[in-house]
Amino acid sequence: MMPRRLRLALCLSAALSGAVSPALSAPWAVDPARSAIRFSGVQVGTPFSGRFERFEARVEFDPAKPEAGRATVLVDLASARTGDTQRDTALPQKDWFDVASASHARFEASRFVDKGGGDYEAVGDLTIRGTKRPLTLPFHLSLDGDRAHATGHVGLVRTAFGVGQGAWASGQWVALEVGVDVDLVATARPDAPAEAH
């Protein structure tokens, strides 16, 4: 049975293949092998997908008081991989993510909204290339004993964040719409106190 009050704190290592960073230790620890942040788009009419191999996240979430929750997710933009060498080489460059100027995307949620049936929204701001925009991330949360599984999807317009400069600023070659999928699996760590922000 789920406790009446549950504090959820999810922490990811800087590298999915590594261990959870002690600095981000929390009551719930993400399983790196089963968690991912993925993205998808269309280039010259052909769909493609990829993932970010490195990211960090801290989430404080109480189903009894979702409005008091908050989250910070940092995504290493240089770790984007699609399996296409030309695309993967171009993404970190100035026309796209420009990682030399801003190496990470940052999502900060200031509250959560309970939509019922295990569905929630994380309401906050997303910053890419120094441009901050409001963002609401819908997600579904499943709790099973000491395991939590959160999955969410949101659509973005890449040019709203300056991603795609010059000839890439139109959707002629690469569609403006991008999908982002979040899939996090965590297990309880009741022996580790939640870290204050």
Side-chain angles (χ1 to χ4, degrees):
M1 173 180 288
M2 184 179 73
R4 182 175 179 180
R5 181 173 180 83
L6 175 66
R7 183 180 178 86
L8 173 63
L10 298 176
C11 293
L12 299 175
S13 61
L16 282 177
S17 58
V20 174
S21 169
L24 296 176
S25 180
W28 290 74
V30 166
D31 179 349
R34 300 181 62 190
S35 300
I37 296 180
R38 301 183 178 90
F39 58 93
S40 58
V42 177
Q43 182 173 4
V44 197
T46 302
F48 69 88
S49 61
R51 64 183 288 158
F52 294 101
E53 295 186 339
R54 295 185 298 276
F55 59 93
E56 300 176 3
R58 184 179 352 180
V59 179
E60 294 182 7
F61 176 77
D62 179 356
K65 295 181 64 177
E67 69 280 0
R70 52 187 172 178
T72 301
V73 181
L74 293 176
V75 179
D76 184 346
L77 296 174
S79 73
R81 301 290 182 269
T82 67
D84 180 278
T85 302
Q86 185 176 7
R87 184 186 298 121
D88 292 351
T89 300
L91 283 176
Q93 303 305 314
K94 189 172 182 179
D95 283 346
W96 294 96
F97 290 143
D98 191 16
V99 299
S101 297
S103 60
H104 289 76
R106 182 182 186 94
F107 176 59
E108 291 188 274
S110 57
R111 64 188 173 95
F112 295 91
V113 179
D114 187 352
K115 306 300 287 186
D119 292 329
Y120 296 87
E121 292 179 342
V123 181
D125 296 297
L126 175 64
T127 303
I128 304 176
R129 289 181 57 116
T131 299
K132 179 188 289 188
R133 304 285 187 196
L135 179 70
T136 297
L137 170 65
F139 68 96
H140 183 81
L141 178 66
S142 300
L143 296 169
D144 183 11
D146 65 349
R147 182 172 291 270
H149 186 197
T151 56
H153 173 84
V154 67
L156 304 175
V157 176
R158 60 178 176 80
T159 49
F161 299 91
V163 178
Q165 298 285 311
W168 308 107
S170 76
Q172 180 178 4
W173 307 108
V174 179
L176 302 184
E177 297 78 16
V178 177
V180 178
D181 290 276
V182 177
D183 190 336
L184 304 178
V185 175
T187 52
R189 293 185 58 196
D191 58 319
E195 179 181 310
H197 284 259

